[in-house]
Amino acid sequence: MSSPANATSSQTVPVVIAVPRELIPGEQRVAMVPEIVQKLTKSGYEIRVEHDAGKGAFYPDELFIAAGAKIAPGPAGLLEGARIVLRVQPPTVADVDQLAEGTIVIGFMNATNNLAAIARMRDRKITAFALELVPRITRAQSMDALSSQAMAGGYVAAIMGAENCPKFLPMLTTAAGTIRPATVLILGAGVAGLMAIATAKRLGALVEAYDVRRAAGEQVRSLGAKFLELEINAEGQGGYARELTPEEKEKEQQMVSAAVAKADIVITTAAIPGRKAPVLITRETVAMMKPGAVIIDMAAESGGNCEMTQAGKTIREHGVLIIGPQNLPARVPFHTSQMYAKNLQSFLSLLVDKNGAVTSDFSDEILVASLLVHAGEVRHKQTLDLMSGVRS
């Protein structure tokens, strides 16, 4: 990373990076951890962390101070003179109102559900980079926060499934007889799905997986799981799945329903960026499942892959436990904060020029793709299309 310490003699003021405390209920993560703070401060940055910002992730203020950060008692002292603000959750309108014109905000923006705050950033001439828009190219792998957090979500989903299943997951040979392993079905073999597969396998379950992208089969099998194959190739752009045709959906539903009906744990991960999650498990399919079966719907926040899922709630229907968890990465905040901070460190390297100053040239392909708002304009086309009539 280019270092402000190597700046020309005319640059005497270090770049100030502010890390606010996340206020969304249930959010335990923090955008920076002491390990990365130490690296950034050694490079000449001034890092300010709001009091108790890392408490939920078990990074107390004392560790940040030891790493070279300054602790700010509240937002006013935190943001005064700050050039860059690092966040996990999207800023609210109230958050934006505290920022000076030209401030750069980096984090997840969830623009589709946060249009009022996007409009306020536009009107206040805030620059915002959305990490969920970082392209999935080789150069950007170290910045791919969407993948790092999804991986954690897949791990937590598998643990949650095991915790709520009334059966042992591994095969056990006991004096009371042999206990057969539980069957775990993963729907969607992206980053989250693959981590769920690997975790369920480590727990000893028989694991099956399905994804509409045929290329995912090789990755699934490499983890020791069985890949359910259907003659559909729904590989879309950027590594995501395209939406299926009505005929393809019917064939998929028949195969998926049969697999769901015999599974002890089903973990669903299927999502389409910016769209409602596809329904993979219908009410009728739930009624066919075994009593005591568990569904962990990782797509609950975007509508759910199960027709009966209720986001943030756990319900029981036909003897089946249907769990609609929200913000799974926040349940393992120590490591998800660590990974997220490393993603941000890599992203910051693109924003600093050879003189150690924040660049005004956002021509790098990664910056172009992830630039949401800049200089009073919404730069992301899909978000701009949604902004018609939205006022700040």
Side-chain angles (χ1 to χ4, degrees), residues 263-274:
D264 297 301
I265 300 171
V266 181
I267 299 173
T268 69
T269 72
I272 303 171

Side-chain angles (χ1 to χ4, degrees), residues 56 63 138 143 180 238 340 349 378:
L63 292 181
T138 301
M143 310 169 199
R180 299 187 57 170
Y340 188 73
S349 69
V378 177

